[in-house]
Amino acid sequence: RIAYAMDADGRRIAQVRYGDLDLGSDAGRAMLERRLRTAARQVCNAQVDDVVAQAEQQRCRSEAMVATRRAVAVAIDAERRAG
């Protein structure tokens, strides 16, 4: 349900599918949140023990989650409108 690719700048990106989820339900929204967190972890993860690099990974994951909020809100609203 999560597809990974590289963008034109060489950064790893993720496409999280949610068409199989009922975003009108708590369970559906919770599953989408888990998928988003998994994708953010995978996109931002690097195998390092350096404290600075670990802080950068955390910042990357946080920014990735913030970046998804608008799209998630639009998807949930669309599902609610569709009934």
Side-chain angles (χ1 to χ4, degrees), residues 7-65:
D7 71 5
D9 295 324
R11 294 177 296 209
R12 194 167 185 205
I13 58 172
Q15 179 182 28
V16 178
R17 292 182 171 72
Y18 59 88
D20 61 318
L21 301 177
D22 175 5
L23 298 181
S25 72
D26 290 340
R29 290 188 301 273
M31 178 57 74
L32 178 56
E33 182 74 17
R34 283 192 293 278
R35 288 180 187 177
L36 292 169
R37 289 189 184 284
T38 297
R41 241 187 343 271
Q42 293 297 319
V43 167
C44 298
N45 197 24
Q47 299 298 327
V48 294
D49 292 327
D50 182 277
V51 174
V52 173
Q54 289 175 353
E56 175 63 22
Q57 287 175 20
Q58 181 58 43
R59 184 193 62 73
C60 175
R61 288 190 296 269
S62 294
E63 288 178 1
M65 293 304 294

